[in-house]
Amino acid sequence: MSSSAGRPELRQLVYFVTVADHLSFTTAARELHLAQQSLSQQIAALERTVGARLLDRDTRGTRLTEPGRLFLAEARAVLDAADRAVTVARRAAAGEVGRLRLGFLASVANYMLPIVVRTCREHLPGVEITTADVAIEPLVAGLRDGSFDLAFTRPPLVPDLAVRALAREPVCAVLPAGHRLSGRAEIALADLAADPWVLTPRASWPPWHEQYDRDFAAAGFAPSVVQRAGTVPNLLGLVAAGVGVTRLAASARTLRDTGVVFVPIAGAEALTVAAWHRLSPAAERLVGLLADLAGTTDFTTAG
C-alpha cells in the first residue's frame, strides 16, 4: 500500500480510535453521528496517509492489524496531548496559568511585594512569577519593551501606560529629629519654605519633579535644594544628618526609625498603582484580585 503526503487529520484519529474501541464501524458511526460509508472513507484515507492497513474488516467483524494495534496507542497519545493543549490554552486565556514578570519601584517593594506574591500563590498557583525591584526609569522602559508584564509604582507616569490605584497614603515632611516642626500633628508645605531641601535628581523621573514643581508653586515658594540623592534611604540619611528636609510617602518611615521625624503634609497624598502597557490575561486576573483586596486592606501597612 503506497503512502500519500501529509499528516493524518485529528478528526481521522478520533474516527480510528472510536472504531478501534468498538471494533464495529456501525457502532462507531452511530456514536460519531456519521454515515457508515463516510466513516469507512475516512478510515481508508487515514490508511493511505499512514501507508499501512490498520483494520481488517470481513464477515467475521472488524479487527486491528498489528500496525493498527501499535498505531492505536500513538493515536490515543496524540488525542490526549491535543486535549491537554486545549486545556492549557483555555486556562491561559482565563489567566490561570502562564508567566508574570513583575517590577516593583524600589520604594514600594517593601510593602507591595509580599502582598502581590502572596496573592499570586493563593489565587494563581499555576502562574509562574518573577520579581525585580528597580528605579522608575527602567521600570517604565521594562513595561514598554515587554520585560515586565505588570509593575507597582507611583504616578505620574507616561500617557501610554495604563494604571489602577491600589493604595493611598499621606505624604509627609521628613524632618531631622529636633526640628522646630517635629512635634506638630500636621503641617502645611508652605511651613517649610525657608528650610534647605534634599530631593532626588530632576533627571531621575521628570514627571515626578514636574508635579513637585506644581506643588511647591501652589504653596508659594521654590525650594532651596542643597543636595540630591538617588534613593529613599539616601534621602533619609541626609535628613538624619541635618542636611535638609524632604517629602516622602508615609510608608517610607519603615526604612529608618532613628534621626528623622515624619509629619503629614495637609492635603497631600501618595498613590501606589499597578501599571501596564499590554495587559495579559494573568496580569488582568492579578490586578482584579489586588483591586478587590485593596477595598478591605491598607497595603502600605499590611505587607
Side-chain angles (χ1 to χ4, degrees), residues 152-178:
F152 302 89
T153 184
R154 297 197 188 280
L157 298 174
V158 286
D160 61 322
L161 296 183
V163 300
R164 183 158 183 177
L166 296 176
R168 298 174 184 270
E169 59 182 311
V171 172
C172 294
V174 187
L175 313 173

Side-chain angles (χ1 to χ4, degrees), residues 180-273:
R180 69 186 188 283
L181 301 176
S182 60
R184 296 271 194 93
E186 184 179 84
I187 62 174
L189 185 59
D191 292 335
L192 298 172
D195 286 84
W197 281 75
V198 293
L199 295 173
T200 54
R202 293 192 68 88
S204 63
W205 191 241
W208 285 349
H209 284 273
E210 290 163 7
Q211 182 62 56
Y212 297 163
D213 291 345
R214 290 191 289 270
D215 293 344
F216 287 126
F221 73 101
S224 172
V225 181
V226 296
Q227 195 162 338
R228 295 187 182 269
T231 67
V232 171
N234 282 350
L235 287 173
L236 291 170
L238 291 173
V239 173
V243 176
V245 302
T246 195
R247 49 177 282 174
L248 294 171
S251 56
R253 60 164 50 96
T254 62
L255 301 178
R256 187 179 186 92
D257 58 6
T258 59
V260 297
V261 178
F262 282 69
V263 180
I265 298 172
E269 69 173 7
L271 296 180
T272 302
V273 300

Side-chain angles (χ1 to χ4, degrees), residues 48-292:
R48 288 193 297 272
T49 299
V50 171
R53 182 174 293 280
L54 304 175
L55 293 161
D56 280 333
R57 185 183 183 190
D58 56 30
T59 56
R60 293 176 296 172
T62 301
R63 296 176 302 280
L64 286 166
T65 64
E66 182 60 14
R69 184 183 68 81
L70 296 174
F71 185 76
L72 176 61
E74 300 298 331
R76 289 192 197 279
V78 169
L79 294 176
D80 288 344
D83 287 342
R84 288 195 300 273
V86 170
T87 298
V88 167
R90 287 174 176 167
R91 293 188 67 201
E96 297 174 358
V97 296
R99 178 183 65 172
L100 279 178
R101 296 157 299 178
L102 306 176
F104 293 82
L105 184 69
S107 60
V108 308
N110 189 45
Y111 59 88
M112 283 302 298
L113 191 148
I115 293 169
V116 171
V117 172
R118 189 161 56 240
T119 300
C120 285
R121 288 171 59 88
E122 291 177 1
H123 298 281
L124 302 172
V127 176
E128 174 191 355
I129 61 171
T130 59
T131 63
D133 62 299
V134 291
I136 182 63
E137 189 170 0
L139 182 148
V140 170
L143 287 173
R144 283 171 158 169
D145 67 20
S147 300
F148 295 128
D149 300 298
L150 192 64
F152 302 89
T153 184
R154 297 197 188 280
L157 298 174
V158 286
D160 61 322
L161 296 183
V163 300
R164 183 158 183 177
L166 296 176
R168 298 174 184 270
E169 59 182 311
V171 172
C172 294
V174 187
L175 313 173
H179 188 278
R180 69 186 188 283
L181 301 176
S182 60
R184 296 271 194 93
E186 184 179 84
I187 62 174
L189 185 59
D191 292 335
L192 298 172
D195 286 84
W197 281 75
V198 293
L199 295 173
T200 54
R202 293 192 68 88
S204 63
W205 191 241
W208 285 349
H209 284 273
E210 290 163 7
Q211 182 62 56
Y212 297 163
D213 291 345
R214 290 191 289 270
D215 293 344
F216 287 126
F221 73 101
S224 172
V225 181
V226 296
Q227 195 162 338
R228 295 187 182 269
T231 67
V232 171
N234 282 350
L235 287 173
L236 291 170
L238 291 173
V239 173
V243 176
V245 302
T246 195
R247 49 177 282 174
L248 294 171
S251 56
R253 60 164 50 96
T254 62
L255 301 178
R256 187 179 186 92
D257 58 6
T258 59
V260 297
V261 178
F262 282 69
V263 180
I265 298 172
E269 69 173 7
L271 296 180
T272 302
V273 300
W276 62 89
H277 191 232
R278 298 178 185 87
L279 198 59
S280 70
E284 185 174 7
R285 281 286 303 276
L286 179 56
V287 171
L289 289 166
L290 291 170
D292 289 344

Side-chain angles (χ1 to χ4, degrees), residues 1 15-21 23-25 39-40 43-44 46-47 52-58 61-69 72:
M1 185 177 295
Y15 298 160
F16 169 72
V17 169
T18 305
V19 173
D21 283 345
L23 292 178
S24 167
F25 276 78
L39 179 58
S40 297
I43 295 299
L46 173 63
E47 290 176 325
R53 182 174 293 280
L54 304 175
L55 293 161
D56 280 333
R57 185 183 183 190
D58 56 30
T62 301
R63 296 176 302 280
L64 286 166
T65 64
E66 182 60 14
R69 184 183 68 81
L72 176 61

